[in-house]
Amino acid sequence: MSEPRTVVVLAAGEGKRMRSALPKVLHPLLGRTLLEHVLHATQPLRAERQIVVVGHGADQVTAYLAQVAPAAQPVLQAEQRGTGHAVRTALDAVPDVTGTVIVVSGDTPMLRSATLTAMLDAHEQAGTVATVLTARVDDPFGLGRIVRDVQGRVTGIVEHRDATPEQLAINEVNTSVYAFDAAALRDALGKLTAANDQGEEYLTDVLDLLVSTGRPVAAHPVSDAEEGLGANDRAQLAALAARLRDRINTDLMRSGVSMLDPATTWIDVTVGIEPDATIEPNTQLRGATSVAAGAVVGPDTTLTNVVVGEGARVIRTHGSDSVIGAGANVGPFAYLRPGTDLAEAGKIGTFVETKNVRIGAGSKVPHLTYVGDATIGRDVNIGAATIFVNYDGSHKHHTTVEDGVFVGCDTTLIAPVTVRAGAYIAAGSSINEDVPSGSLGIARARQRNIEGWVERKRPGTKAAKAAAAAAHSAADERAAQLAAASMATADLAMDNPAGEAIAATELGERDGSEH
């Protein structure tokens, strides 16, 4: 790089067709805003300055820049009077700029760093005062056409509404990405006028001015026309999302990631996935999520800022800000809230919700359970329908379950409480005191059956009718048993009259009779 570089990002437009209180450049798209996509693409250019021209929603955009690109310099275009005026406003804020000025629109998220680098290298090596990035498209409607002379040299850019029928037939269009010699750009900007039907200063007119003075202007065609696409409304934003999804998924699959249905797989540009991972259909991976080799995620899964370890399996799960260890299993229908840390070979199963919990290696929370604010050791089994009672209405409290504990089904652990290593908790218990190591913790009332209660207290109900039917059935069965016993006794008496008295006595004892 022989000369200093300055990047100017145009982000002052209102984006009326978005019909949104949010500035257009701050609309999200697969892990970044439109503006952040552009800033990311320009970052490898090693520019000395990065200027972002703000206007509509300037306070919001400036605050956002402070978070994601603190080195970028916001410059206010208080009155939006066209792209040429925006660039002039930027250069007025940095009057000492020399070298190459790169101008890009803040709503072109498909731009690649490699494309910008290639354009800049060609521009600086050729020694031209201006280079425009162009694309050939099948449908150029509404786009500025690149006009060339018979020798193929660029003579200017004509807007669609101003083009002649011959110019409308041109399919090489302007992507609104430029490289300029700083001095030549500054001089031409000073000569722009707003004598057009929009009453604005067009940056495209700078090329006409430079050509009219005999200065060399070049075009750098891009191989992938979609890099120049922007978004002016929600429909175009959705179309861009689909294109970016396809690009991300294609790159991942070519790197060794398996996807069964790329069209239903949405992965942010910020997500990292290792080769030999598999992503099942209807899966969304967002933010800083990472998936290690051999892991299988999905189907029907949404993970945000979740680390998935090697060989883990995550199915029909919603999770955020969590860690899933190597070889662990999660789901189906699990909800991992922030702070969940599942160690290797652990399990969080069906209809389980976790929050702010560390679950040790080999431990299992198989189903129908809530675990919040807890530490669970190694090789622990948490039975179905267990609740970690962590909130007293004012404060959250912590539960500790040490290694090797077995917690029976339908248990409540009322924090703060500790279950020591190797203890058992009886099913149906409500534990609010520490359980010593190796002990059986049991906290439930003794069962008492009140005979005849239904017939007395709920007469005429379905339950009472069922109970009566059961009683009649039991009586009939008892009568059948007595009849069978009597027949057996009679048969025995016929064969052995002397034993008749003994048989009768035995039958009486079974009936509870006194003799």
Side-chain angles (χ1 to χ4, degrees), residues 157-192:
I157 301 174
V158 61
E159 298 300 326
H160 180 93
R161 59 180 169 270
D162 301 323
T164 66
E166 293 78 12
Q167 291 168 335
L168 287 175
I170 298 171
N171 70 347
E172 185 181 15
V173 298
N174 176 26
T175 66
S176 298
V177 178
Y178 310 89
F180 294 103
D181 172 79
L185 173 62
R186 193 185 297 276
D187 179 66
L189 288 171
K191 299 175 182 178
L192 288 180

Side-chain angles (χ1 to χ4, degrees), residues 207-215:
L207 275 69
D208 295 331
L209 290 169
L210 294 173
V211 170
S212 68
T213 61
R215 298 184 180 186

Side-chain angles (χ1 to χ4, degrees), residues 256-462:
V257 176
S258 292
M259 291 185 192
L260 301 188
D261 187 6
T264 64
T265 302
W266 294 82
I267 300 173
D268 284 356
V269 293
T270 49
V271 170
I273 307 179
E274 294 181 357
D276 287 327
T278 299
I279 311 300
E280 301 269 8
N282 298 314
T283 292
Q284 301 177 61
L285 303 179
R286 299 172 174 170
T289 295
S290 64
V291 181
V296 179
V297 178
D300 309 318
T301 294
T302 300
L303 303 180
T304 304
N305 304 326
V306 175
V307 176
V308 181
E310 185 174 353
R313 183 72 170 88
V314 185
I315 179 172
R316 290 189 172 88
T317 293
H318 188 100
S320 62
D321 301 289
S322 299
V323 176
I324 299 169
N329 283 276
V330 178
F333 309 114
Y335 181 23
L336 276 56
R337 292 169 59 190
T340 296
D341 189 343
L342 176 64
E344 62 273 13
K347 179 177 179 61
I348 294 175
T350 307
F351 300 115
V352 173
E353 178 180 348
T354 59
K355 187 269 296 183
N356 192 28
V357 57
R358 163 70 183 175
I359 301 174
S363 291
K364 299 177 181 179
V365 188
H367 30 227
L368 301 166
T369 292
Y370 169 72
V371 185
D373 298 297
T375 301
I376 298 175
R378 299 172 62 90
D379 301 317
V380 172
N381 185 85
I382 305 295
T386 294
I387 299 175
F388 285 62
V389 185
N390 59 331
Y391 185 48
D392 64 8
S394 298
H395 302 92
K396 299 290 180 70
H397 301 280
H398 198 82
T399 296
T400 300
V401 179
E402 295 182 349
D403 295 349
V405 167
F406 181 92
V407 177
C409 296
D410 197 25
T411 292
T412 57
L413 300 172
I414 304 173
V417 70
T418 298
V419 182
R420 299 293 180 187
Y424 267 60
I425 305 296
S429 292
S430 183
I431 302 297
N432 62 359
E433 296 180 2
D434 291 356
V435 179
S437 178
S439 300
L440 171 65
I442 180 168
R444 61 191 183 203
R446 183 179 294 276
Q447 180 173 326
R448 183 165 65 100
N449 300 329
I450 302 175
E451 297 287 343
W453 183 92
V454 172
E455 289 184 276
R456 294 194 305 273
K457 298 296 184 180
R458 298 291 186 270
T461 63
K462 292 180 179 179

Side-chain angles (χ1 to χ4, degrees), residues 134-139 148 170-173 221-225:
T134 68
R136 294 194 179 274
V137 296
D138 295 331
D139 181 11
R148 298 174 181 266
I170 298 171
N171 70 347
E172 185 181 15
V173 298
V222 62
S223 59
D224 186 354

Side-chain angles (χ1 to χ4, degrees), residues 188-211:
L189 288 171
K191 299 175 182 178
L192 288 180
T193 70
N196 51 61
D197 61 348
Q198 296 293 310
E200 296 181 348
E201 299 176 22
Y202 295 148
L203 185 59
T204 52
D205 289 344
V206 166
L207 275 69
D208 295 331
L209 290 169
L210 294 173
V211 170

